[in-house]
Amino acid sequence: MLPLNSLGDLARALRDQFDQDRWLLEELCAEARALRSQVRTIRPRSVTTVAVVASDGGDNRLTLDPFSIQIVRVVDSYGKQLFFDFISPTTSPDALLERHLGADGHPHSPLGRLMRDLGASTLHDLSPMIPDAHTVRQYPERVNPVWVQVYRDLCEWAVLYERIVAQTFATDTLLVRDGLLRSKVFRGDGFIRMMNHIQAAIERTWQQDRRRIYLVGIAKRSKVLARYDLAFSIEQVFPPGEGRFVRVPREMEQKAYQWAEWGRGLEQAGGQGEEPKFVAGEMYLVRFGRRSGDPIWPVDLLPSQAAQADAIFGFLLEDARAGFPVPYYPYCLQRAHEHAQVSGFDWVVLQDLIIEAVRDMVPPDKRGWVDAHRLKADVAAMRYE
């Protein structure tokens, strides 16, 4: 705890530091003021809105499990399960590959189809963050367990990819991704090539079926929003009265990121520095609520769909009006997250399967100890009862 007799000194030191950095806030406010003339209001519009979400690993971790087994589950906002798998940090990449690609290259899953279309013969070819089989076998201590999260992200991208590239649409549809249209988990230019396939499929759907497919990515936080949020409030960039949005210039994005490539779009291809290969969207800051204090969200749109920004944000506004429990946040995403988590009776069933699998692994004379775990109570949880 801070000593009370030093609070005055701390306050003076803090004010001195802010006086030295005053120029930074003034600069941010000037950039925010420059955007005020570009802010546009949002009018609600209706369209079929679907979100695709992968379950969160921390929420879907199984207990009584010495192998850190996690559930990888991708669902849409209607609760339809689009992908399901079990994985652990010690899973063999070779065994995992067999779930997605046959020896003849025939895909068995959405991830397998994405690998085929990108010319990746192994998961390590698809993402350098997934260990190769040799490393897992010979040097398991070098394997970073975070690759399980990368695998989950790849599965989510693969389901979204298949939904756009391989399926038909009966109506105009807005597909919402939980997260911006950016990724660093793909090898080389794999992410951009995947997005080029998606863009081609969107155009093909319009030409053949006269159906509009829109794709957006929305995040709850962003370095850009953290940097400019105070300046937006001071300058009243989003005055109260209506939902509003504004396009964020690339220059402002790059100032906010530690690594400039996270803000380099495809329009900068062929310029100086590293080729843009992580960013497929253009960022907008959006407030769906009517009050100045309502939350602002960073949203990525495809550059080819920037001309339809008014319509897209109108669709999102109509969906976000019903947002619960997060206000003015797309309801389709919140529903998808709710469906993605394994809970209730489904959780009990999976836990029982885990116990049975562990029981079969131990010698017969030790199985009674495993059975005893079924009767153990969660002592830490008793304080809430």
Side-chain angles (χ1 to χ4, degrees):
M1 186 173 178
L2 295 174
L4 295 179
N5 59 0
S6 68
L7 289 182
D9 293 336
L10 291 174
R12 282 190 293 273
L14 189 59
R15 288 181 180 276
D16 289 343
Q17 184 60 50
F18 275 123
D19 284 340
Q20 295 178 39
D21 293 339
R22 182 188 298 273
W23 65 271
L24 177 58
L25 180 58
E26 293 173 350
E27 181 180 284
L28 295 177
C29 287
E31 293 181 79
R33 281 195 301 272
L35 291 182
R36 281 193 304 206
S37 62
Q38 303 173 38
V39 173
R40 290 145 70 179
T41 58
I42 310 174
R43 300 286 183 253
R45 309 187 189 197
S46 297
V47 76
T48 301
T49 307
V50 181
V52 174
V53 166
S55 58
D56 181 82
D59 291 339
N60 279 351
R61 192 184 303 274
L62 299 169
T63 58
L64 189 61
D65 169 24
F67 309 105
S68 300
I69 296 291
Q70 293 188 33
I71 300 169
V72 179
R73 186 168 182 252
V74 183
V75 303
D76 64 18
S77 46
Y78 297 106
K80 182 178 181 181
Q81 182 171 286
L82 307 172
F83 182 82
F84 191 92
D85 200 4
F86 291 106
I87 189 173
S88 78
T90 55
T91 300
S92 166
D94 286 342
L96 191 58
L97 178 64
E98 293 176 0
R99 305 176 193 176
H100 304 289
L101 275 181
D104 58 354
H106 181 73
H108 303 317
S109 70
L111 185 59
R113 280 180 278 276
L114 176 60
M115 293 176 64
R116 179 197 60 189
D117 291 353
L118 295 182
S121 58
T122 68
L123 290 168
H124 186 64
D125 290 339
L126 183 65
S127 172
M129 300 180 187
I130 295 184
D132 60 87
H134 174 75
T135 300
V136 173
R137 286 194 301 266
Q138 301 298 324
Y139 310 102
E141 69 281 358
R142 299 181 185 177
V143 176
N144 189 336
V146 76
W147 78 266
V148 173
Q149 178 61 53
V150 172
Y151 175 74
R152 179 179 291 105
D153 291 344
L154 289 171
C155 292
E156 187 178 57
W157 277 114
V159 168
L160 183 64
Y161 172 82
E162 183 178 59
R163 190 71 178 261
I164 297 175
V165 172
Q167 298 185 13
T168 57
F169 294 84
T171 63
D172 292 354
T173 303
L174 172 66
L175 289 166
V176 183
R177 165 176 156 75
D178 182 25
L180 300 176
L181 302 181
R182 307 164 189 229
S183 178
K184 287 189 175 182
V185 303
F186 289 81
R187 182 179 294 279
D189 64 347
F191 176 66
I192 296 302
R193 289 192 289 122
M194 177 189 73
M195 296 305 296
N196 287 339
H197 285 306
I198 287 176
Q199 181 61 60
I202 290 173
E203 180 61 27
R204 184 171 61 250
T205 300
W206 170 246
Q207 294 296 333
Q208 296 179 357
D209 303 327
R210 312 310 287 180
R211 294 288 182 265
R212 294 287 188 189
I213 307 303
Y214 306 97
L215 174 63
V216 304
I218 181 169
K220 289 189 176 70
R221 60 188 62 88
S222 162
K223 292 289 186 181
V224 175
L225 181 59
R227 179 181 174 87
Y228 291 99
D229 195 22
L230 177 59
F232 268 49
S233 296
I234 294 174
E235 298 299 329
Q236 283 291 285
V237 175
F238 290 160
E242 301 288 346
R244 303 177 192 276
F245 71 93
V246 68
R247 167 84 168 86
V248 180
R250 291 291 188 196
E251 297 77 16
M252 290 178 64
E253 285 192 54
Q254 293 171 5
K255 290 178 182 178
Y257 293 124
Q258 181 180 3
W259 307 107
E261 64 267 22
W262 199 239
R264 286 174 56 82
L266 295 178
E267 73 280 357
Q268 296 173 294
Q272 295 182 347
E274 186 178 11
E275 283 293 293
K277 55 186 178 182
F278 307 121
V279 179
E282 293 182 346
M283 182 180 288
Y284 294 74
L285 294 180
V286 186
R287 191 195 70 203
F288 295 118
R290 300 172 61 88
R291 299 170 299 180
S292 59
D294 284 327
I296 297 174
W297 311 110
V299 179
D300 265 355
L301 269 57
L302 292 174
S304 61
Q305 297 186 339
Q308 289 85 46
D310 288 286
I312 292 173
F313 288 119
F315 302 146
L316 282 173
L317 172 59
E318 182 68 20
D319 186 65
R321 282 175 160 181
F324 181 83
V326 182
Y328 295 112
Y329 187 72
Y331 185 48
C332 62
L333 272 177
Q334 299 190 61
R335 284 187 299 163
H337 274 291
E338 182 180 348
H339 291 306
Q341 304 313 313
V342 180
S343 59
F345 180 73
D346 291 339
W347 182 259
V348 173
V349 171
L350 286 174
Q351 281 292 147
D352 200 55
L353 292 176
I354 285 288
I355 293 175
E356 288 297 326
V358 174
R359 188 177 186 277
D360 291 341
M361 292 176 58
V362 302
D365 60 324
K366 303 290 185 181
R367 291 175 181 173
W369 296 107
V370 178
D371 293 334
H373 274 275
R374 298 177 189 266
L375 305 177
K376 279 190 174 181
D378 185 350
V379 178
M382 288 181 178
R383 57 185 173 150
Y384 299 112
E385 295 180 354

